[in-house]
Amino acid sequence: MSPSMSERLRGAVAARLARPQLLLLGGSAAEVEAQFAAWCREHRGRAVELLVGLPLLHELVVEPGLPLADDAALRAYAQQQFAHYFGAAAQRFALAPWRAGEARGVSALHGLDPAALRAQAAAAGVRLAALRPAWAAWLAALPAATRAGSGRLLWHEGTRALLITLERGRVQSLQPRRIASPADLGGADEGALLARGTPAEELTPRPGPAMPQPDFLAAAARPAPLAWPLAATGALVLATAGWSGWQSHEQLQLAQDARSRVLALRPSAPTPRAAPRRVAETEPRAAQEARALLDAPWEPLLSRVETVGAEAKAIAWLGLDANAGRGELRLEGLTPDRLLALQLAEQLGGTPGWGQVVLSRFSAAEPGLSGQRFEINAKFRRENGS
């Protein structure tokens, strides 16, 4: 059963509030697409950073001294280099330039369309926050001392590997290899090899020297931080209003047609005065709900939620449920400390437009999530002041 418009609205808002979860998918492009589609179906309202493996990547490190002033110049140069080695197929590569200190390079993704993946995620109520090479996430999560030094590190995926050469913290080369085991690269430091099931915390970037962070979605225009309440919720609310209004119009038309037929068959029957009013009263319920959604002050309300969550830093939003007609709001999130959730509820309670803010529930987080799940219930004032 396809989700209702209200479910899509809640899913879109929850996805925008959620902290992105790291998801590593390997294999061919078709396998990645199938795995990602299955993951999205099971994680409506979540946000994700998708990490792709070596079979779908080509890497280029730019030689020092080349006059490539910006990302556009990097892209043009990389396009020429990839076309030289891979021919016409290189025209379909998605390119992600990166800069890390004095080092510059470009990652190429083949077989996957970033825009299509983003649309696929959005259709399932998931926000695709980034699309990055897995090796880059792993490199940025290594200890600062390792990244600041010189030597070779190995990122290993089955029979494929990427040999990363560092020179005093600068990425000097990225060399793909086909191997049977890490020992086949004699002399290379194995580093920390990533296996399936590794906790996502191990891929969280650490402070230290800058490392490449190519993102195949970065080229797409992104809205300003506070534009999403109108862009995401507004579009869905308007769609809900339009659909509800259309349904209401159809219901009214059917009711009027039926009443006309009855009167035509019974011309002498008295017409109750209240009948037109009862039809009018039953008709606009869906439209009234849609208008309530439109009239709700989504921008200040949801902007405040995002701001308070960002200030708390450790708070990760999981979901939002709103009833505009009753002026009620329910928030779900994760926190490593109950005190943070209590402080967050106090901050929201002191915000103009918010009232009756109650921290209503604490529970253990689901498998795969860390911290404690909490729930906040609140009242909010609509535009008409009610």
Side-chain angles (χ1 to χ4, degrees), residues 68-78 95-99 104-106 218-219:
L68 304 173
D70 53 24
D71 285 353
L74 278 173
R75 284 176 177 275
Y77 175 75
L95 302 181
W98 55 262
R99 296 172 183 269
R104 297 170 298 170
V106 178

Side-chain angles (χ1 to χ4, degrees), residues 11 14-15 18 21 23 35-48 121 124-127 318 367-369:
Q21 174 182 340
L23 175 64
Q35 294 171 49
F36 186 57
W39 188 93
C40 289
R41 287 194 296 269
E42 298 175 359
H43 294 82
R44 176 172 293 275
R46 299 288 182 87
V48 62
V126 172
R127 177 170 63 92
L318 297 178
L369 299 176

Side-chain angles (χ1 to χ4, degrees), residues 62 73 90 106-107 163 194 201 219 229 246 282 342 354 361 363:
V62 176
V106 178
S107 292
L163 189 61
L194 179 69
E201 291 79 5
W246 179 83
T282 57
L342 288 168
W354 289 71
R361 182 170 64 90
S363 62

Side-chain angles (χ1 to χ4, degrees), residues 178-201:
R178 285 186 175 274
I179 60 173
S181 70
D184 292 349
L185 289 175
D189 298 328
E190 292 188 11
L193 302 182
L194 179 69
R196 293 299 179 90
T198 298
E201 291 79 5

Side-chain angles (χ1 to χ4, degrees), residues 38-61:
W39 188 93
C40 289
R41 287 194 296 269
E42 298 175 359
H43 294 82
R44 176 172 293 275
R46 299 288 182 87
V48 62
E49 288 191 16
L50 180 57
L51 306 179
V52 294
L54 297 177
L56 302 179
L57 299 169
H58 299 300
E59 304 296 342
L60 172 68
V61 177

Side-chain angles (χ1 to χ4, degrees), residues 37-241:
W39 188 93
C40 289
R41 287 194 296 269
E42 298 175 359
H43 294 82
R44 176 172 293 275
R46 299 288 182 87
V48 62
E49 288 191 16
L50 180 57
L51 306 179
V52 294
L54 297 177
L56 302 179
L57 299 169
H58 299 300
E59 304 296 342
L60 172 68
V61 177
V62 176
E63 296 179 7
L66 289 180
L68 304 173
D70 53 24
D71 285 353
L74 278 173
R75 284 176 177 275
Y77 175 75
Q79 191 75 58
Q80 293 177 355
Q81 298 300 311
F82 288 132
H84 175 74
Y85 289 101
F86 303 104
Q91 297 178 1
R92 297 189 295 272
F93 292 172
L95 302 181
W98 55 262
R99 296 172 183 269
E102 297 179 357
R104 297 170 298 170
V106 178
S107 292
L109 175 69
H110 61 89
L112 289 177
D113 181 358
L117 288 175
R118 174 178 274 171
Q120 178 188 44
V126 172
R127 177 170 63 92
L128 180 57
L131 176 60
R132 300 190 288 139
W135 66 263
W138 170 75
L139 188 60
L142 292 177
T146 302
R147 286 182 284 156
S150 299
R152 292 190 291 177
L153 301 171
L154 179 66
W155 169 257
H156 178 221
E157 299 176 16
T159 60
R160 294 175 182 262
L162 186 68
L163 189 61
I164 305 169
T165 303
L166 296 179
E167 181 65 35
R168 290 178 292 184
R170 176 183 174 275
V171 176
Q172 194 171 46
S173 67
L174 299 170
Q175 299 174 314
R177 294 286 189 271
R178 285 186 175 274
I179 60 173
S181 70
D184 292 349
L185 289 175
D189 298 328
E190 292 188 11
L193 302 182
L194 179 69
R196 293 299 179 90
T198 298
E201 291 79 5
E202 294 190 15
L203 293 179
T204 302
R206 300 189 189 186
M211 291 288 111
Q213 287 295 289
D215 182 358
F216 297 105
L217 295 179
R222 293 180 177 176
L226 298 183
W228 65 268
L230 294 180
T233 24
L236 287 171
V237 167
L238 288 173
T240 304

